């Protein structure tokens, strides 16, 4: 994601009260989503806080898919990156959830490449997927979902 772009993905939010469709927006180094009428934003997916100094997003699951091109053998193949973020209970210090587990699965050419990180670091998880790709294959730029 470049600082000049705005990316938007459709996804799902789930917690003890149920599930709802959400839109996740990434722009200027910040993530944003609206859940049950409350706007959340943060520098990372795992650090979303309610606007106006409200609490952190916790005790829930966020799921979304991103189209992601894969360059290989002189061509480009469209792939899908499935993302699953599990946020634990609020930490005692209020700084965030007590855990943030991010699992990514790249679906490309009939194969699935998976990576998970315990701290919710998207770039780290994506780097682990890059390391699994066949020689000569490379991930392209992420693209926003079509609304």
């Amino acid at each position: 994601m470049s600082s000049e772009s705005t990316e938007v993905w459709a996804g799902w939010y789930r917690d003890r009260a149920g599930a709802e469709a959400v839109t996740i927006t990434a722009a200027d180094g910040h993530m944003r989503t609206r859940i049950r009428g409350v706007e959340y934003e943060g520098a990372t997916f795992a650090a979303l806080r309610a606007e106006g100094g409200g609490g952190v997003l916790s005790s829930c699951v966020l799921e979304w898919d991103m189209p992601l091109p894969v360059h290989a053998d002189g061509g480009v193949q469209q792939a899908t990156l499935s993302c699953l973020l599990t946020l634990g209970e609020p930490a005692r210090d209020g700084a965030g959830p007590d855990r943030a587990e991010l699992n990514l699965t790249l679906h490309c050419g009939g194969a699935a490449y998976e990576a998970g990180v315990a701290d919710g670091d998207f770039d780290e998880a994506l780097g682990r997927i890059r390391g699994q790709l066949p020689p000569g294959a490379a991930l392209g730029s992420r693209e926003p979902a079509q609304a």
Side-chain angles (χ1 to χ4, degrees):
M1 173 180 66
S2 73
S3 60
E4 296 85 31
S5 68
T6 298
E7 299 174 87
V8 180
W9 306 287
W12 286 94
Y13 168 85
R14 291 180 180 82
D15 65 11
R16 291 176 187 104
E20 75 172 65
V22 295
T23 300
I24 300 166
T25 304
D28 299 325
H30 278 80
M31 310 299 158
R32 265 185 114 68
T33 191
R34 181 181 194 85
I35 300 168
R36 297 191 180 114
V38 177
E39 292 284 341
Y40 290 88
E41 80 169 19
T44 67
F45 290 108
L48 294 170
R49 287 190 164 278
E51 280 189 338
V56 297
L57 192 59
S58 60
S59 308
C60 65
V61 172
L62 281 171
E63 269 184 283
W64 67 100
D65 288 337
M66 299 175 161
L68 188 65
V70 175
H71 300 271
D73 301 324
V76 177
Q77 182 174 11
Q78 287 302 317
T80 300
L81 184 65
S82 296
C83 310
L84 175 67
L85 177 65
T86 302
L87 300 174
E89 300 299 318
R92 291 181 190 182
D93 63 5
D98 62 359
R99 66 184 168 81
E101 298 170 3
L102 178 65
N103 292 288
L104 302 180
T105 304
L106 179 70
H107 303 276
C108 179
Y113 305 93
E114 298 181 15
V117 291
D119 60 2
D121 187 307
F122 188 87
D123 290 330
E124 180 183 346
L126 199 57
R128 290 181 183 186
I129 287 178
R130 277 188 186 97
Q132 297 174 39
L133 295 175
L139 298 177
S141 298
R142 297 188 302 257
E143 298 175 9
Q146 300 300 313

